Amino acid sequence: MRRPGPALRVALLGVTATLTGFALLAGWLGFHAYAYDQARERATARTNGVIVEDGLGEGEDIRVRWKDRSGREHEQRFGIYDTGRYTKGRHFPVVYDQDETDPRGFPGDPEETSDEDDLLVPILLAGVTAAALCSVWAWRGVRFRRAARRPGRPMTATVHCGVRPVSSQALSETLWLALTEAGVSDRPVAWQRIMWHTALDELGGPVEVSAHHRAGSRGAVVAQLPDGTRLVPLGRLRHRAPRRVFLDEYTAVRATLEDSFTPVDAAALSARPWWWPGAQAAAVGLVVGALAGVLFIGGTAVATVSMALCGAALPAALWAQSAPRP
């Protein structure tokens, strides 16, 4: 069985991370939404509570004091939509399950579904996000197939590494093909961003390629190397060098600013799994997401786990989409 190429492996990892993260998040929130709905259906006893606080948090929640039929007093926080109607000192209808020893209250107003929506809406948003991320890979695959089927013409390509400052301490690395007309001029006539491939590490200097794309258009170019390797394009064909990107000739040696003081351990890099940077991104996102759930979204188990799942899946998916050099 033929082993998938580097670009396909990265794409499969990105799609897997996206779909797995969405499935886990939807399952987690869906379970709690189902439990909420079942508990709400069992809440048939009705009473009126008094709002003792309003405007709590960013959602302007309210805190209600209410009593069950046994005379036991409860104080509970509710998420609501009609914040102008339910203010401090006013009555708030509450329903509960009278068969429970320590019943949980639910809004008696059928229009107040904020707490349930807080479980369902994130599933919808996560689904839209997952569909958008997967559609990026689908579009890249369709564009690659369409361009590769077009007639090719001989050109000379030089691989360049582009570095763009993302922040004061972070750099974004991209790979570009500088394409020139074969035997006509050394000046690039087109630039195409590409995904990394192991074959690029074997190149040194200009190389003859077959460029496949629609003549006269700015559509993506699929460059085919002499050994038959077809490079996956990203973005449109450019007739000028990319702006705000520092371009240098590509080398197989991976260097960063830290390498100026600490030599590159080539053996460690080669022994490291290709997906390791994506796993690191997911691990960092998991921790950051969990902390965000604790510090900013109430610290409940539902919120913390949900944010941790989002924090793990999204960075891994975005790392894959950035066309990394594993």
Side-chain angles (χ1 to χ4, degrees):
M1 182 177 179
R2 185 177 179 182
R3 187 182 182 187
L8 181 57
R9 293 202 299 271
V10 171
L12 290 175
L13 175 65
V15 172
T16 300
T18 300
L19 296 181
T20 301
F22 169 70
L24 291 174
L25 180 63
W28 173 256
L29 291 177
F31 169 78
H32 287 280
Y34 176 78
Y36 181 94
D37 183 66
Q38 292 298 302
R40 176 67 180 81
E41 288 186 359
R42 295 192 299 269
T44 56
R46 190 179 186 91
T47 185
N48 277 324
V50 177
I51 302 173
V52 294
E53 285 186 86
D54 60 14
L56 300 175
E58 294 182 358
E60 298 186 8
D61 297 348
I62 59 175
R63 191 177 302 280
V64 178
R65 184 179 295 123
W66 58 278
K67 292 182 180 181
D68 57 30
R69 289 186 178 180
S70 64
R72 184 175 180 180
E73 190 174 78
H74 305 267
E75 193 169 295
Q76 186 176 334
R77 180 169 174 169
F78 292 92
I80 59 171
Y81 289 126
D82 196 349
T83 56
R85 177 185 177 188
Y86 293 116
T87 57
K88 184 177 180 180
R90 302 193 66 174
H91 290 288
F92 183 78
V94 177
V95 293
Y96 63 96
D97 184 358
Q98 60 184 349
D99 295 329
E100 290 188 1
T101 305
D102 186 15
R104 173 187 179 184
F106 299 88
D109 186 345
E111 299 297 325
E112 294 297 349
T113 59
S114 176
D115 289 337
E116 186 176 14
D117 292 345
D118 285 345
L119 298 171
L120 297 177
V121 171
I123 297 178
L124 175 62
L125 296 177
V128 172
T129 302
L133 292 172
C134 290
S135 66
V136 172
W137 287 114
W139 170 240
R140 288 179 179 180
V142 169
R143 183 173 54 186
F144 171 76
R145 292 293 183 184
R146 290 177 58 185
R149 290 174 181 171
R150 299 189 183 279
R153 59 169 176 160
M155 299 189 77
T156 301
T158 305
V159 185
H160 290 263
C161 180
V163 178
R164 173 181 298 177
V166 177
S167 65
S168 59
Q169 297 179 341
L171 300 176
S172 173
E173 183 181 284
T174 56
L175 292 180
W176 296 82
L177 284 182
L179 299 166
T180 60
E181 297 290 349
V184 176
S185 171
D186 292 335
R187 182 178 180 181
V189 296
W191 294 81
Q192 176 66 64
R193 187 185 171 198
I194 58 172
M195 292 188 70
W196 176 83
H197 195 284
T198 51
L200 297 176
D201 289 346
E202 306 297 328
L203 302 180
V207 61
E208 298 298 322
V209 300
S210 177
H212 299 261
H213 72 114
R214 187 172 63 183
S217 73
R218 303 182 71 179
V221 171
V222 172
Q224 183 171 333
L225 301 179
D227 63 359
T229 299
R230 295 181 300 179
L231 303 175
V232 178
L234 299 174
R236 60 181 175 81
L237 181 68
R238 300 168 183 257
H239 295 290
R240 295 182 180 179
R243 297 179 180 179
R244 296 183 293 275
V245 176
F246 300 100
L247 294 168
D248 198 1
E249 191 167 338
Y250 177 82
T251 62
V253 178
R254 309 182 187 190
T256 64
L257 291 177
E258 294 180 357
D259 299 331
S260 301
F261 307 94
T262 305
V264 177
D265 188 347
L269 285 175
S270 61
R272 186 182 66 183
W274 66 270
W275 43 263
W276 183 248
Q280 287 182 311
V284 172
L286 180 72
V287 175
V288 173
L291 289 175
V294 171
L295 298 176
F296 304 113
I297 315 184
T300 64
V302 176
T304 302
V305 174
S306 300
M307 290 297 295
L309 290 173
C310 292
L314 191 58
L318 294 178
W319 171 83
Q321 287 201 356
S322 67
R325 181 183 173 191

